[in-house]
């Protein structure tokens, strides 16, 4: 068996930038009970004896029966009794609800976790009804008028609901302390941050939902309220907007528009007729009557011989900028029928967008000769009916957990970093700053599936919502020792299993998906099963496991020769498919070897000889002359970091290498490391490396993909031929998870640059774009200004997998995960 070298201890010390650290703040948080037995008790929060946060009540509660015919309100809940100290206080009250002939027990506990963080939990329990619906709202009030309010995305927030990539809001005190408010994960606090669903067939994009949950999950006092000295930060749980109830104000449709593209446009009494010609998009564009902090419905009917495209863009100072993220999204091919009107109707939630205008394009992007008609275009401003959806079941305790952190205000960038780091710390997580930030991001992207389905649901980022992708949720969830999450989400994927045994690749709320194909999804589901068995000692559903095993063997190793053949890449670089199946991809061969060893551990009859045959075939993709693994035998000059992913799996899962030291070192030596920055940990080295690039023999040593050397066929020809996307996405984008894991492989094989480049890549994720100190889908390796970075990449969840990479590297241990400690305690 191949051997890898253990690393000297001093190598680990080189990563001192990554080890655990805490905020050095000279402060002392404390709690104090206010009120009396007659008026009721509430808790105030102090810092060094100075009152920071006070409340007129601990929360308000609205209760409903299931048909909403009866309601009961507790507008200002306070404790009837209390116990505790300056570091932990519990308030309690038992109440009789005459409207329901029911009892309700409530306790509220504040706990000072450290010098920076206070944890607040609200426990509700009713033993009287089969179920109650409820809306719970807690309002925190600054003891002094704040200098300003801040949120995760905005340094100064004017007020209203906060719908951003990471739920966090705070206020800055007169003495320059920031008091921030956070929430536990959605699957724990029973909320979802989803605002949209797919159309049938997935090709039409996203449309805004008619029942919008948790719009007011976080909200801040607006300017009018502040002028009346009504300052607050509020969290609301269990509330949805029903846009088909309540009322709506019909807005005047814009009369002025401009023609876009090569088209003739006629507008007769509201019937818009578009005749498009070849070459680019064709339609109309106008300023839509949409403003900040509102919810709208947009509707129209269309017919024609081309799919309809609908786009909304923010317009700042007359210049069109980024696409509006919420509700309508990626509508490139809404199906139109030539002789029949098709209705489009969807909500548009407009969060705070800095008072920008919103431009709307409607037409076609087919680039072909076509006709399209649109009628009854209408915008309505909604005053929706607010309804409950959280459930208080019979005899079961329900808990809401929130956190308050206090520290000196430094900058908005540091508030974003603190929001992530303090949440991880509050949950008992230990690790480096980057590990904390990624763990927090993972929690904030794991919510409930839907208002009628409280099973956990993990999305890659807000741009990908509402969809849970198999690969993304696997890498995200398996990085945690959380038993509930690992088993629940793994079981959800098991329910997507097809008759042939394959596991689906996507689950999307409020719409179906039939996508299950011979990519790596089923292999990863089996690896996940093996990990669940190892970690939690669970008994696996053998019928499903066997079907998945048979599927993998039949799809990838049907001839039994240990050579992988597939229609798809078995890695994230999945922008191409192959018909017939191909055996020319290096990563596919490595993943088959991992699959076979996994299947053997799961108890199935796979011989060691057969596994080693597959491993040798993976090694055979190493080209001795070129000194790297062949990404694609038909394009031997292409090199990719993903080709080391099977090697990482082997080291992580089985503590054994498949590649030699020479292979790994030579592979990594040929990967260019770009974006050198003077204040990075190692300025002599670059901070980001392309996931996929062409090796050249000139002085530069590499080239981005081009039309004349293109492994991605039509996709690559359309996107990577003219140089405009050099350094972006799979044409040289730097993907943190893949890059970091490849460096860990290098570390285990004795590659000396591994640790410095791991440090640099962590630094780049936080600081290369100083306005975006958070996880990203990818970082461009070629760019002029950070304004060109894709907003859709913000907050990618699967980068939390570096927790496993750091375990392999020896930089962290399982006990640093709070859920691991809970497992051992049991």
């Amino acid at each position: 068996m191949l051997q890898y070298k253990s690393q000297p201890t001093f190598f680990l010390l080189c990563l001192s930038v990554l080890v655990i650290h805490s905020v050095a703040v000279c402060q002392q948080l404390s709690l104090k009970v206010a009120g009396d037995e007659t008026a009721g008790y509430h808790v105030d929060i102090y810092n060094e004896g100075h009152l920071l946060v006070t409340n007129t009540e601990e929360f308000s509660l609205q209760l409903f029966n299931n048909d909403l015919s009866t309601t009961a309100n507790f507008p200002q809940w306070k404790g009837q009794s209390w116990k505790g100290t300056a570091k932990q206080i519990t308030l309690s009250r038992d109440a009789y609800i005459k409207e329901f002939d029911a009892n309700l027990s409530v306790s509220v506990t504040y706990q000072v976790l450290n010098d920076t963080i206070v944890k607040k939990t609200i426990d509700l329990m009713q033993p009287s009804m089969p179920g109650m619906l409820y809306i719970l709202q807690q309002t925190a009030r600054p003891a002094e008028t704040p200098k300003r309010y801040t949120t995760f995305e905005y340094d100064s927030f004017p007020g209203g609901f906060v719908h951003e990539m990471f739920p966090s809001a705070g206020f800055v005190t007169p003495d320059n302390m920031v008091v921030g408010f956070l929430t536990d994960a959605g699957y724990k606090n029973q909320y979802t941050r989803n605002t949209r669903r797919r159309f049938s067939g997935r090709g039409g994009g996203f449309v805004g939902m008619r029942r919008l949950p948790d719009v007011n999950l976080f909200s801040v006092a607006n300017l009018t309220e502040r002028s009346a000295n009504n300052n607050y930060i509020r969290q609301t749980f269990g509330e949805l907007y029903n846009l088909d109830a309540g009322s709506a104000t019909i807005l005047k449709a814009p009369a002025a528009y401009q023609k876009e593209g090569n088209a003739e446009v006629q507008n007769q009494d509201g019937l818009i007729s578009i005749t498009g010609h070849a070459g680019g998009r064709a339609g109309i564009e106008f300023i839509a009557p949409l403003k900040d902090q509102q919810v709208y419905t947009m509707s129209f009917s269309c017919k024609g011989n081309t799919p309809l495209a609908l786009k909304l863009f923010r317009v700042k100072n007359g210049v069109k900028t980024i696409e509006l993220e919420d509700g309508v999204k990626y509508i490139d091919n809404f199906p139109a029928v030539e002789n029949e009107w098709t209705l489009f109707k969807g909500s548009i939630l407009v969060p705070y967008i800095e008072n920008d205008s919103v431009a709307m394009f409607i037409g076609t992007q087919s680039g072909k000769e076509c006709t399209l008609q649109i009628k009854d275009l209408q915008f309505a401003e909604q005053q929706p009916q607010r309804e409950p959806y959280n459930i208080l079941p019979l005899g079961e305790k329900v808990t809401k957990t929130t956190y308050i952190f206090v520290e000196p205000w430094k900058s908005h960038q540091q508030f974003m970093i603190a929001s992530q780091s303090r949440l991880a710390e509050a949950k008992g997580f230990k690790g480096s700053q980057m590990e904390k930030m990624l763990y927090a991001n993972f929690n904030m992207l794991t919510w409930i599936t839907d208002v009628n389905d409280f099973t956990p649901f993990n999305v890659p980022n807000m741009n990908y919502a509402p969809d849970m992708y198999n690969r993304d949720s696997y890498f995200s969830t398996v990085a945690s020792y959380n038993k509930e999450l690992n088993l629940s989400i793994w079981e959800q994927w098991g329910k997507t299993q097809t008759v042939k045994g394959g596991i689906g690749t996507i689950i999307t709320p409020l719409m179906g998906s039939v996508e299950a194909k011979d990519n790596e999804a089923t292999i990863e589901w089996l690896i996940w099963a093996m990990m669940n068995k190892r970690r939690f000692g669970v008994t696996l559903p053998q019928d499903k496991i066997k079907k998945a095993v048979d599927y993998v063997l039949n799809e990838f190793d049907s001839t039994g020769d240990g050579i992988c053949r597939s229609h798809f890449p078995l890695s994230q670089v999945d922008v191409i498919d192959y018909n017939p199946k191909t055996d020319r991809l290096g990563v596919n061969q490595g993943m088959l070897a991992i699959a076979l060893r996994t299947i053997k551990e799961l108890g199935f009859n796979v011989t060691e000889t057969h596994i080693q045959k597959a491993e040798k075939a993976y090694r055979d993709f190493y080209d001795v002359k070129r000194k790297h693994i062949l990404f694609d035998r038909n394009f031997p000059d292409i090199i990719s970091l993903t080709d080391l992913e099977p090697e990482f799996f082997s080291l992580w899962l089985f503590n054994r290498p498949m590649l030699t030291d020479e292979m790994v070192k030579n592979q990594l030596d040929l990967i260019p490391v770009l974006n050198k920055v003077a204040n990075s940990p190692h300025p002599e080295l670059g901070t980001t490396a392309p996931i996929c690039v062409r090796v050249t023999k000139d002085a530069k040593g590499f080239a981005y993909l081009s039309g004349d050397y293109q492994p991605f066929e039509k996709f690559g020809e359309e996107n990577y031929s003219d140089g405009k996307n050099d350094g972006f996405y799979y044409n040289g984008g730097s993907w943190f998870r893949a890059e970091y894991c490849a460096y860990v492989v290098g570390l285990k094989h004795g590659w000396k640059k591994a640790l410095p480049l791991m440090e640099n890549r962590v630094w780049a994720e936080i600081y290369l774009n100083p306005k975006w100190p958070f996880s990203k889908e990818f970082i461009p390796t070629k760019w002029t200004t950070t304004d060109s970075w894709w907003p859709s990449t913000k907050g990618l969840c699967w980068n939390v997998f570096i927790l496993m990479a750091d375990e392999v590297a020896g930089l962290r241990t399982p006990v640093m995960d709070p859920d691991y400690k809970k497992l051992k305690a049991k």
Side-chain angles (χ1 to χ4, degrees):
M1 188 177 84
L2 297 168
Q3 299 295 321
Y4 61 86
K5 299 173 183 176
S6 61
Q7 303 301 315
T9 304
F10 77 88
F11 268 2
L12 302 184
L13 299 178
C14 293
L15 273 183
S16 58
V17 70
L18 296 178
V19 299
I20 305 167
H21 69 284
S22 59
V23 177
V25 180
C26 183
Q27 61 185 46
Q28 186 69 36
L29 296 180
S30 62
L31 309 170
K32 187 175 181 179
V33 171
D36 54 45
E37 187 174 352
T38 302
Y41 299 104
H42 69 271
V43 174
D44 291 334
I45 301 175
Y46 290 78
N47 179 37
E48 294 290 334
H50 184 74
L51 181 62
L52 284 180
V53 181
T54 186
N55 308 307
T56 52
E57 74 280 338
E58 285 302 332
F59 61 87
S60 65
L61 186 66
Q62 295 173 269
L63 297 169
F64 307 76
N65 57 357
N66 283 333
D67 67 355
L68 308 184
S69 62
T70 303
T71 63
N73 292 320
F74 291 81
Q76 289 189 320
W77 188 96
K78 297 180 182 179
Q80 186 177 32
S81 61
W82 70 275
K83 61 180 181 181
T85 66
K87 295 299 181 183
Q88 181 166 326
I89 294 174
T90 297
L91 310 176
S92 302
R93 179 181 290 272
D94 294 329
Y96 172 71
I97 310 169
K98 62 181 180 61
E99 292 87 346
F100 297 123
D101 191 24
N103 292 322
L104 176 68
S105 296
V106 181
S107 65
V108 176
T109 299
Y110 285 79
Q111 181 183 3
V112 177
L113 299 179
N114 55 38
D115 287 346
T116 305
I117 304 166
V118 173
K119 177 181 180 180
K120 179 182 179 181
T121 57
I122 301 173
D123 292 328
L124 310 172
M125 199 280 286
Q126 62 88 12
S128 305
M129 290 176 63
M132 292 181 186
L133 296 172
Y134 68 94
I135 298 172
L136 186 150
Q137 190 175 80
Q138 58 179 2
T139 302
R141 300 187 182 277
E144 300 174 276
T145 301
K147 292 170 67 174
R148 69 175 180 279
Y149 291 86
T150 188
T151 61
F152 192 81
E153 294 188 27
Y154 292 101
D155 178 56
S156 182
F157 190 75
F161 65 79
V162 182
H163 186 79
E164 300 177 357
M165 60 171 287
F166 190 97
S168 170
F171 60 83
V172 181
T173 67
D175 58 348
N176 223 39
M177 300 292 288
V178 62
V179 183
F181 295 82
L182 306 168
T183 175
D184 208 344
Y187 76 96
K188 288 183 174 290
N189 272 352
Q190 300 90 47
Y191 65 79
T192 169
R193 304 186 67 223
N194 185 30
T195 62
R196 57 201 181 194
R197 66 165 177 84
R198 285 195 178 270
F199 293 102
S200 176
R202 295 185 58 210
F206 297 141
V207 62
M209 301 185 302
R210 304 303 300 159
R211 288 159 62 86
L212 281 170
D214 302 297
V215 173
N216 294 301
L217 180 65
F218 276 69
S219 58
V220 171
N222 61 37
L223 297 178
T224 301
E225 290 169 319
R226 294 182 212 177
S227 64
N229 201 31
N230 183 15
N231 284 283
Y232 64 83
I233 290 177
R234 182 171 291 152
Q235 293 157 311
T236 304
F237 298 102
E239 178 189 73
L240 65 82
Y241 282 4
N242 184 346
L243 273 64
D244 293 322
S247 61
T249 303
I250 305 302
L251 304 178
K252 186 176 180 180
Y257 61 84
Q258 62 183 33
K259 184 182 72 172
E260 286 289 312
N262 189 10
E264 285 93 43
V265 179
Q266 289 184 328
N267 188 348
Q268 295 183 332
D269 299 324
L271 176 63
I272 302 168
S273 299
I274 300 168
T275 301
H277 302 295
R281 70 179 190 168
I284 61 173
E285 189 166 279
F286 54 87
I287 298 299
L290 307 178
K291 298 180 180 179
D292 300 62
Q293 306 287 293
Q294 300 290 340
V295 178
Y296 300 90
T297 290
M298 180 176 63
S299 60
F300 58 83
S301 294
C302 66
K303 69 177 180 179
N305 60 5
T306 185
L308 178 140
L310 175 64
K311 303 288 183 181
L312 297 174
F313 295 91
R314 290 172 60 172
V315 178
K316 184 179 291 292
N317 300 322
V319 178
K320 187 166 63 176
T321 60
I322 60 176
E323 192 170 351
L324 193 67
E325 289 288 330
D326 299 283
V328 173
K329 183 74 172 174
Y330 298 131
I331 299 180
D332 300 302
N333 296 292
F334 180 71
V337 180
E338 191 164 7
N339 299 310
E340 181 180 332
W341 290 104
T342 301
L343 175 66
F344 176 101
K345 184 178 183 181
S347 64
I348 303 174
L349 180 147
V350 184
Y352 177 55
I353 54 171
E354 300 175 285
N355 299 313
D356 290 350
S357 300
V358 177
M360 174 176 162
F361 167 80
I362 188 167
T364 176
Q365 296 185 147
S366 67
K368 301 176 182 178
E369 296 286 334
C370 60
T371 59
L372 187 65
Q373 289 185 302
I374 299 155
K375 70 174 184 177
D376 301 330
L377 176 63
Q378 186 179 89
F379 295 89
E381 183 177 318
Q382 298 281 171
Q383 295 84 43
Q385 181 170 294
R386 302 188 180 199
E387 298 178 359
Y389 81 87
N390 272 195
I391 300 171
L392 188 55
L394 179 67
E396 297 180 24
K397 183 177 72 172
V398 169
T399 301
K400 302 296 186 192
T401 304
T402 54
Y403 306 99
I404 304 106
F405 70 91
V406 182
E407 57 190 66
W409 173 263
K410 297 177 182 177
S411 66
H412 184 249
Q413 179 202 61
Q414 290 303 307
F415 176 76
M416 287 190 278
I417 292 172
S419 293
Q420 299 167 85
S421 301
R422 303 306 157 253
L423 179 62
E425 292 163 4
K427 291 177 67 64
F429 179 87
K430 299 184 184 299
S432 69
Q433 183 182 74
M434 185 79 259
E435 290 170 341
K436 291 175 184 176
M437 293 166 67
L438 295 174
Y439 179 80
N441 182 51
F442 162 61
N443 274 272
M444 292 301 95
L445 290 168
T446 308
W447 50 62
I448 60 173
T449 300
D450 194 18
V451 295
N452 298 314
D453 182 357
F454 286 8
T455 54
F457 194 83
N458 172 255
V459 302
N461 68 1
M462 292 293 284
N463 177 67
Y464 279 92
D467 302 331
M468 178 165 73
Y469 286 85
N470 186 316
R471 176 173 58 211
D472 298 78
S473 62
Y474 160 74
F475 278 115
S476 300
T477 312
V478 81
S480 163
Y481 288 89
N482 186 310
K483 182 178 180 180
E484 175 192 0
L485 275 188
N486 275 278
L487 296 184
S488 176
I489 297 179
W490 179 81
E491 287 169 0
Q492 285 292 88
W493 284 113
K495 295 173 184 176
T496 71
Q497 190 171 51
T498 65
V499 174
K500 291 176 64 178
I503 302 298
T505 61
I506 183 174
I507 299 175
T508 184
L510 304 176
M511 191 55 64
S513 172
V514 296
E515 183 179 308
K517 54 190 182 183
D518 55 323
N519 58 13
E520 74 274 32
T522 306
I523 294 175
E524 288 172 348
W525 188 76
L526 288 172
I527 294 171
W528 203 347
M530 179 180 70
M531 296 300 289
N532 287 339
K533 186 176 180 181
R534 286 182 185 178
R535 288 172 166 179
F536 312 125
V538 295
T539 301
L540 301 173
Q542 285 304 302
D543 56 337
K544 286 184 174 289
I545 298 294
K546 185 179 186 307
K547 283 181 68 174
V549 166
D550 290 343
Y551 177 85
V552 168
L553 296 177
N554 290 333
E555 288 295 330
F556 305 126
D557 193 16
S558 58
T559 61
D561 59 359
I563 302 300
C564 184
R565 298 171 179 87
S566 176
H567 289 113
F568 300 96
L570 304 186
S571 78
Q572 70 175 84
V573 186
D574 57 358
V575 292
I576 183 174
D577 56 0
Y578 303 90
N579 289 292
K581 290 182 178 182
T582 187
D583 63 358
R584 66 184 206 232
L585 302 183
V587 71
N588 284 19
Q589 185 58 44
M591 287 305 295
L592 174 60
I594 295 300
L596 293 175
R597 194 165 291 282
T598 300
I599 289 168
K600 180 181 179 183
E601 180 168 326
L602 287 170
F604 293 86
N605 185 24
V606 178
T607 67
E608 184 64 27
T609 299
H610 189 59
I611 297 171
Q612 291 190 16
K613 183 185 296 185
E615 291 180 347
K616 180 180 182 302
Y618 175 45
R619 285 192 293 277
D620 287 345
F621 270 86
Y622 180 79
D623 187 305
V624 176
K625 181 179 178 181
R626 288 181 169 84
K627 294 188 176 181
H628 68 83
I629 299 168
L630 299 182
F631 172 76
D632 181 335
R633 283 198 179 107
N634 285 9
F635 296 88
D637 294 332
I638 302 294
I639 187 171
S640 175
L641 287 165
T642 59
D643 291 331
L644 290 176
E645 189 164 274
E647 179 70 354
F648 178 86
F649 275 118
S650 191
L651 297 171
W652 171 48
L653 298 171
F654 306 113
N655 195 32
R656 65 188 308 279
M658 294 190 291
L659 304 176
T660 67
D661 291 351
E662 179 185 22
M663 293 174 180
V664 170
K665 291 176 181 178
N666 288 343
Q667 172 92 359
L668 291 170
D669 280 338
L670 286 174
I671 300 285
V673 185
L674 309 172
N675 290 327
K676 290 185 178 181
V677 182
N679 62 333
S680 64
H682 302 277
E684 74 281 5
L685 301 174
T687 59
T688 59
I691 193 171
C692 185
V693 75
R694 183 180 180 179
V695 177
T696 59
K697 295 181 179 179
D698 56 14
K700 187 177 180 181
F702 77 96
Y704 295 109
L705 304 181
S706 60
D708 61 346
Y709 200 81
Q710 183 51 253
F712 300 141
E713 296 180 359
K714 183 180 179 181
F715 177 90
E717 292 165 4
E718 292 177 351
N719 292 280
Y720 301 150
S721 290
D722 56 6
K724 68 178 182 179
N725 285 322
D726 285 357
F728 281 76
Y729 202 61
Y730 289 136
N731 188 19
S734 171
W735 297 69
F736 183 40
R737 182 191 59 81
E739 186 174 346
Y740 195 87
C741 288
Y743 294 153
V744 171
V745 169
L747 178 71
K748 301 299 286 186
H749 282 277
W751 191 55
K752 293 183 179 179
K753 292 182 182 178
L755 285 165
L757 286 176
M758 289 162 69
E759 287 187 347
N760 267 15
R761 190 58 185 82
V762 165
W763 179 92
E765 198 69 13
I766 304 174
Y767 294 112
L768 190 59
N769 182 344
K771 295 180 181 179
W772 289 11
F774 41 72
S775 173
K776 289 164 280 291
E777 186 174 31
F778 70 88
I779 289 177
T781 56
K782 181 182 177 182
W783 45 279
T784 303
T785 168
T786 55
D787 290 340
S788 68
W789 291 26
W790 293 2
S792 62
T793 65
K794 297 193 295 186
L796 192 72
C797 186
W798 77 1
N799 287 334
V800 72
F801 187 73
I802 77 155
L803 299 182
M804 294 297 99
D806 282 341
E807 284 194 17
V808 174
L811 299 173
R812 66 177 287 113
T813 60
V815 75
M816 298 165 76
D817 186 316
D819 290 301
Y820 182 85
K821 289 186 284 188
K822 293 176 186 176
L823 280 174
K824 292 304 175 183
K826 292 179 181 179

